[in-house]
Amino acid sequence: MFDITILWETRELILQGLWNTVWICFLGCLLALSLGLVLAALRLANPRIFSYPVACYVELCRGIPLLILLFLLYYGGPSIGLTLSASVAGVVGIGLYGAGYFAEIYRGGFKSVPKGHLEAARMLGISPWHVLTRIQIPQMARLIVPPSTNQLIILVKESALISIISVDDLTKNATSIVNQTFQVIEPYLAVALLYWLIIELIARGGYALEKRLANRQPRPIEPRGGTRHAHG
Amino acid sequence: MPMVDSTTSTRQKAIVEAQGVSKQFGDLEVLTDIDFRLSPSEVVCVIGPSGSGKSTLLRCLAFLEPYDHGSVYIDSQLLGYEDSGGKRVRTSEKRVDEVRAPVGMVFQHFHLWPHRTALENVTEALRLVNGLSRREADEEGMAMLEQVGLADRAGHFPESLSGGQKQRVAIARALAMKPRVMFFDEPTSALDPELVGEVLEVMNKLAADGMTMVVVTHEMGFAAKVADRVIFMDQGRVVESGAPDKLFRHPQSERLQQFLNTWRERHID
């Protein structure tokens, strides 16, 4: 009844699906993370002309199901001169969709750094660029890692939807195996395990990063005028 | 030098000068036509009830709040605005930094950067702005921390310092940039009463060393003892100003009398 050997026989399909899911998610998430940063910066920047359009974009992203976005890109794209392969449509879809969420995560991070910290830096003559890179980003980084990890996990899971626009990802290939072998449990359990592994990897990475950012040890201070060895 | 006019000669001696400064938040006028002059080595305390505009005045003098009308000069240089074809326009952030360079500021809530140790808080600007190497900056920073009595806390993060210690680190951080005038915005208002003394002591020492200071404060004792001049503000205007002795013993205006009475009632038990 429970026939594990079919997994071995169809291993090529499974591995192909794994590879496609991994690279599409990787590029899609990369796009989402970086586009999100641009959106957050535009939303917060002076002058505020971009603030409203960006806010609208974010609301749209959060208001449309990913599947509809994928349909629009893949099936609707050609009618406006945008012909994408299914995989590229998947990357773009995940990227555009995730960017809206990441923009909000970043915005929250920026807002959480007290204005006074920035004023103190500006009063010392520290340039706006250094205020951003040395004061704001290090402080917000700790705060945005947990929600960002969470969002990445959600995106990877939602990526199963790209199977519907005919990308040979884990989900679609599992379904193919089911159709070929008439075995349902084994293929789906196998890909479930693989999704879980990817996500576990992201989660572990997130924890590690979080820990690294939180447990920053002060560097040792050299005693004044003395030698290093005089340290007591 | 641009922006020179006939009054330059009278400005020469003031480090900080405000002329007819006004500021509105929406419909609310928080500062009305403020004139202010600060000479080298002078210590001026600004007192007044909450919402009187005293913190806003200090923030306008530092251009943390852009003022709407009037002029603020630091070392005779107009702060925050410049003349462009007869119209007044905002200067670049870089120009603001240049003009504001002689000013150091200490805030009510310290605003130490939590991801940096006490020493790093002090050395950050030395390295980023003055271009000192890590070693030079550390040496300079340690000297500053010593000056406020906190050399032994150099490696501590702000979260493990008391309020008084945080404020002293904040003072050291400002002093590291060798300011010629220090602005203090209610430096002891966020502190537990038993920690106020250590901060005031550092400020006392600074004043005794000849530092030019503007202190927005509720510490009447400090004002009476250290200030050369006290300014009393209410509803966005300077109501009275003069030597502390004169102001505290013989207040002219009814508002100041009321203010001092309220203060005395609260502090005698």
Side-chain angles (χ1 to χ4, degrees):
Chain A
M1 211 185 93
F2 202 78
D3 184 7
I4 208 99
T5 56
I6 63 154
L7 295 178
W8 179 251
E9 283 155 19
T10 55
R11 62 187 180 278
E12 272 181 29
L13 263 183
I14 294 176
L15 287 177
Q16 183 211 28
L18 177 65
W19 167 242
N20 283 335
T21 290
V22 166
W23 79 260
I24 289 170
C25 283
F26 179 79
L27 291 183
C29 288
L30 206 64
L31 180 63
L33 283 165
S34 34
L35 184 61
L37 189 61
V38 173
L39 289 174
L42 286 176
R43 184 156 185 190
L44 293 170
N46 280 320
R48 312 208 59 86
I49 44 167
F50 295 112
S51 179
Y52 187 69
V54 170
C56 288
Y57 178 86
V58 168
E59 290 313 313
L60 267 176
C61 266
R62 297 198 292 193
I64 297 178
L66 176 58
L67 186 58
I68 305 292
L69 190 60
L70 291 171
F71 282 164
L72 282 171
L73 278 168
Y74 186 59
Y75 298 119
S79 63
I80 54 161
L82 183 78
T83 311
L84 302 172
S85 72
S87 312
V88 174
V91 169
V92 174
I94 292 171
L96 292 180
Y97 179 74
Y101 289 92
F102 282 116
E104 282 302 279
I105 292 174
Y106 296 142
R107 191 170 69 93
F110 275 117
K111 289 255 167 187
S112 71
V113 179
K115 200 172 141 225
H117 290 185
L118 316 181
E119 290 181 347
R122 294 290 299 123
M123 284 306 294
L124 295 164
I126 295 174
S127 68
W129 171 251
H130 277 137
V131 171
L132 177 73
T133 56
R134 305 285 299 235
I135 310 293
Q136 274 179 295
I137 289 179
Q139 282 195 61
M140 68 178 269
R142 307 178 190 203
L143 293 165
I144 65 171
V145 168
S148 296
T149 308
N150 210 26
Q151 190 58 45
L152 287 173
I153 288 171
I154 291 170
L155 285 179
V156 170
K157 288 205 285 192
E158 290 208 43
S159 81
L161 291 169
I162 61 178
S163 63
I164 299 176
I165 57 164
S166 78
V167 179
D168 295 329
D169 75 334
L170 270 178
T171 304
K172 179 152 175 284
N173 284 6
T175 306
S176 302
I177 296 168
V178 171
N179 292 340
Q180 284 167 27
T181 62
F182 304 107
Q183 299 282 351
V184 177
I185 304 282
E186 295 86 346
Y188 283 139
L189 267 185
V191 299
L193 186 72
L194 289 172
Y195 274 114
W196 178 79
L197 277 176
I198 298 173
I199 281 156
E200 194 56 25
L201 222 62
I202 296 173
R204 292 284 166 96
Y207 286 135
L209 189 60
E210 202 181 318
K211 218 170 153 187
R212 211 188 119 110
L213 289 169
N215 282 359
R216 220 215 62 174
Q217 292 298 315
R219 66 200 157 81
I221 292 150
E222 290 178 33
R224 293 226 303 152
T227 64
R228 276 165 181 278
H229 309 291
H231 219 19
Chain B
M1 200 182 294
M3 301 307 301
V4 175
D5 61 30
S6 57
T7 57
T8 303
S9 57
T10 59
R11 278 209 297 274
Q12 219 80 60
K13 269 190 283 175
I15 290 192
V16 179
E17 179 162 13
Q19 294 175 348
V21 166
S22 300
K23 171 76 187 170
Q24 285 194 324
F25 288 129
D27 287 339
L28 184 71
E29 182 140 8
V30 281
L31 291 178
T32 309
D33 199 23
I34 303 277
D35 292 320
F36 176 79
R37 245 184 89 93
L38 186 69
S39 305
S41 292
E42 200 178 12
V43 176
V44 172
C45 284
V46 184
I47 60 170
S50 300
S52 58
K54 51 195 194 305
S55 280
T56 306
L57 172 62
L58 198 67
R59 291 173 59 80
C60 282
L61 294 179
F63 210 67
L64 287 175
E65 298 288 353
Y67 48 94
D68 299 329
H69 302 287
S71 312
V72 172
Y73 297 92
I74 311 275
D75 266 342
S76 308
Q77 306 212 62
L78 186 63
L79 175 63
Y81 296 102
E82 63 192 355
D83 196 48
S84 168
K87 256 181 70 184
R88 191 160 94 155
V89 294
R90 285 276 285 270
T91 59
S92 65
E93 291 291 310
K94 205 168 160 240
R95 176 67 186 155
V96 170
D97 283 344
E98 279 168 23
V99 176
R100 194 164 60 180
V103 181
M105 184 140 180
V106 171
F107 301 85
Q108 179 179 358
H109 296 287
F110 334 123
H111 297 322
L112 292 183
W113 306 308
H115 61 303
R116 296 272 191 267
T117 63
L119 180 62
E120 287 168 341
N121 264 278
V122 179
T123 57
E124 190 77 2
L126 288 171
R127 297 181 58 201
L128 293 177
V129 182
N130 293 359
L132 264 54
S133 71
R134 175 166 275 183
R135 252 201 63 215
E136 292 167 329
D138 278 1
E139 210 158 289
E140 186 76 30
M142 285 305 291
M144 288 300 144
L145 286 177
E146 238 155 64
Q147 200 177 329
V148 297
L150 286 173
D152 59 330
R153 292 284 183 275
H156 288 238
F157 283 96
E159 62 181 12
S160 65
L161 299 175
S162 73
Q165 290 172 336
K166 281 184 212 174
Q167 194 59 297
R168 282 147 69 199
V169 172
I171 293 172
R173 176 173 72 174
L175 290 177
M177 296 305 282
K178 301 271 177 288
R180 290 191 292 121
V181 50
M182 287 281 285
F183 290 174
F184 291 87
D185 187 6
E186 305 205 25
T188 58
S189 299
L191 298 177
D192 290 338
E194 73 270 20
L195 301 177
V196 169
E198 59 187 85
V199 172
L200 291 183
E201 198 183 315
V202 169
M203 292 170 64
N204 262 323
K205 214 165 69 184
L206 264 183
D209 290 344
M211 177 60 81
T212 313
M213 291 161 54
V214 183
V215 187
V216 170
T217 188
H218 292 285
E219 291 295 327
M220 299 301 167
F222 177 81
K225 206 170 81 183
V226 181
D228 297 305
R229 189 151 53 93
V230 174
I231 292 175
F232 172 66
M233 286 184 70
D234 191 29
Q235 296 183 343
R237 292 171 190 276
V238 172
V239 179
E240 248 184 281
S241 82
D245 212 38
K246 183 185 130 223
L247 225 75
F248 289 138
R249 277 166 211 257
H250 309 288
Q252 300 297 305
S253 62
E254 206 176 310
R255 305 213 85 110
L256 180 55
Q257 285 163 18
Q258 271 171 9
F259 178 73
L260 292 174
N261 283 340
T262 316
W263 187 81
R264 281 188 195 111
E265 276 164 28
R266 260 194 297 135
H267 285 78
I268 295 166
D269 42 7

